Amino acid sequence: MESSGRGERMVRIFVYLMAHYNNRYSVTDIMHHLDIPESDLRNVQRDMQALVNLEGGYIQRIIDSGKTYYQVALERANKLVFPDFGDMVLHFVFLQRIANLYPATASLIEDLTKRITQDLPAKQQDVLKSYSKELNGRILFMGTPPNYDEDVSKNLPTILNAIRQKRKIQIKYTDNWGTPSDKPRVPLMVAISHGDIYIGCVSQHHPDKTYALKLQRIESVKLLKETFEEDPKVVESLRKRIRTGSLLLGEQNPQEEKVIIYFPKYAKNFLKERPYHRSMKMEDAPGDEIRVTMKVEVNELLKQWIMYYGNIATVQQPKKLKQMILETAKKLVEKYE
């Protein structure tokens, strides 16, 4: 994609600083790392000024021994997700979609989006609008933000493009059991669950069944010429599987149930940082406890999540979930007795 001038450059710099939040950089360093021509020096200086002035104090200016450096000012910048996309427009759509995931950065992303959109040529503004429309509702989040590394994120633009253009992709993949495969897939959605990114696909042999591939296990992705027709019912059922937390170990047609679990108060922050599901709510309970409620499918994944907390988690309802935990606990006792 050809350079779209100031707006794009600013986002690239911002994303670069966010992705390398532990380091500080001079203007020269930034230009070197992002291959920005020397003739743009004045522009980059202006960009840095604009980024430092952004409300919320995201980027700070540091003067050390007479030299000026820039660095991310957020203490928890690693909570921000900025994959290093080559395709700026896709990057942008991703930014817009994650804005609501990080309340702390929502206004910043909106501010950047507005500024950059104004700076884009009319043709690219149209491209941006159509990309946003096509990918809206196709990037979903539950639970904690994902951990990124650049190798993983390099495949994401191709996958997002395939979803947008309704084209099949050839994926080299290694499953949970270490079995490799290299075959065409039909991608419908990107889902972020429990710190990992998944690609929601529909089976080509059973067109009513959906499944998930873990982005981290995808070795390579190639966009194929072959297109696919999607069934809105299947897209909706995939959405429901993601919403109810049944994408990975659940049923094709999940049933939501109200789950109530008690935890000691000291677990509050930990639960807040690693919620099981978006519907999870916490309230103080009598004594030194908190009451956690959510509406999800009761499945193996939920059982594993609760058992991760060992004896500090007490399930109040549903009965079926208590039974699942009891049976696993009995097996554990038999194993170690």
Side-chain angles (χ1 to χ4, degrees):
M1 202 169 108
E2 57 191 359
S3 168
S4 58
R6 172 155 193 219
E8 177 175 326
R9 193 180 52 238
M10 232 170 99
V11 163
R12 280 182 65 213
I13 294 171
F14 179 74
V15 166
Y16 188 81
L17 290 173
M18 283 292 181
H20 305 85
Y21 58 91
N22 282 326
N23 308 335
R24 57 189 201 176
Y25 299 96
S26 67
V27 166
T28 320
D29 297 334
I30 290 166
M31 291 174 72
H32 170 70
H33 289 301
L34 295 176
D35 286 331
I36 299 169
E38 278 177 37
S39 53
D40 273 349
L41 175 65
R42 294 299 291 274
N43 294 332
V44 174
Q45 286 168 335
R46 276 201 294 271
D47 288 347
M48 297 321 296
Q49 185 57 51
L51 288 171
V52 169
N53 290 344
L54 274 175
E55 258 180 62
Y58 292 91
I59 306 293
Q60 59 183 336
R61 183 185 281 114
I62 302 160
I63 294 173
D64 187 1
S65 320
K67 278 187 129 183
T68 305
Y69 299 95
Y70 297 89
Q71 187 175 4
V72 171
L74 296 182
E75 280 170 31
R76 316 236 350 233
N78 59 330
K79 281 274 176 264
L80 290 166
V81 184
F82 289 107
D84 224 355
F85 283 179
D87 186 328
M88 217 50 225
V89 175
L90 280 175
H91 195 148
F92 213 72
V93 172
F94 199 79
L95 277 180
Q96 288 173 314
R97 288 290 298 131
I98 66 168
N100 58 359
L101 180 66
Y102 301 100
T105 58
S107 59
L108 159 79
I109 291 170
E110 273 162 36
D111 189 10
L112 268 176
T113 313
K114 265 200 205 101
R115 274 186 203 204
I116 290 149
T117 314
Q118 283 163 5
D119 287 337
L120 286 175
K123 192 174 155 200
Q124 284 199 330
Q125 289 197 23
D126 293 343
V127 171
L128 183 62
K129 277 195 198 104
S130 69
Y131 271 41
S132 290
K133 205 170 145 200
E134 288 158 351
L135 287 171
N136 188 25
R138 294 305 174 96
I139 301 170
L140 301 184
F141 297 91
M142 328 97 72
T144 41
N147 301 314
Y148 256 111
D149 71 31
E150 282 174 22
D151 281 350
V152 170
S153 66
K154 73 177 188 295
N155 291 322
L156 201 47
T158 311
I159 294 163
L160 286 174
N161 256 332
I163 294 171
R164 207 176 59 73
Q165 296 172 18
K166 298 187 181 25
R167 277 164 70 180
K168 292 185 181 181
I169 38 181
Q170 184 81 13
I171 289 185
K172 257 192 181 163
Y173 188 71
T174 307
D175 70 14
N176 288 354
W177 295 271
T179 314
S181 63
D182 186 358
K183 59 184 186 186
R185 312 266 187 173
V186 178
L188 297 180
M189 218 169 267
V190 173
I192 297 183
S193 172
H194 303 96
D196 279 306
I197 298 183
Y198 295 89
I199 312 307
C201 300
V202 60
S203 163
Q204 296 184 78
H205 304 298
H206 307 281
D208 56 337
K209 296 221 175 344
T210 55
Y211 63 92
L213 298 177
K214 197 175 189 174
L215 183 65
Q216 220 168 345
R217 295 221 185 94
I218 293 177
E219 276 171 62
S220 66
V221 177
K222 199 172 105 207
L223 198 56
L224 301 175
K225 286 200 168 68
E226 195 186 342
T227 57
F228 60 85
E229 286 288 321
E230 57 180 33
D231 179 346
K233 282 214 270 298
V234 174
V235 174
E236 199 34 60
S237 85
L238 179 59
R239 244 190 220 117
K240 189 178 178 193
R241 290 189 70 198
I242 292 168
R243 273 201 307 265
T244 54
S246 73
L247 178 68
L248 307 178
L249 290 173
E251 297 296 323
Q252 285 289 333
N253 299 304
Q255 298 305 311
E256 280 178 291
E257 292 187 55
K258 187 175 183 183
V259 174
I260 302 175
I261 315 163
Y262 283 86
F263 287 90
K265 270 215 175 85
Y266 64 76
K268 198 174 189 171
N269 278 348
F270 196 76
L271 288 163
K272 216 185 258 171
E273 285 167 1
R274 294 175 178 75
Y276 177 76
H277 191 260
R278 289 179 73 166
S279 64
M280 195 169 114
K281 291 185 176 63
M282 288 190 275
E283 54 187 13
D284 289 344
D288 217 10
E289 289 194 308
I290 48 172
R291 180 176 186 262
V292 172
T293 56
M294 52 185 146
K295 284 194 86 163
V296 288
E297 184 195 47
V298 173
N299 59 25
E300 276 295 307
L301 195 66
L302 177 64
K303 183 197 80 176
Q304 286 171 14
W305 181 79
I306 293 165
M307 291 192 78
Y308 169 76
Y309 288 95
N311 64 350
I312 71 163
T314 311
V315 174
Q316 190 196 37
Q317 72 172 63
K319 212 170 172 177
K320 160 169 88 178
L321 181 56
K322 289 158 88 163
Q323 198 54 40
M324 283 165 74
I325 291 170
L326 182 63
E327 278 162 24
T328 308
K330 279 179 183 164
K331 283 179 191 151
L332 279 171
V333 170
E334 281 164 24
K335 190 172 184 164
Y336 290 106
E337 227 173 7

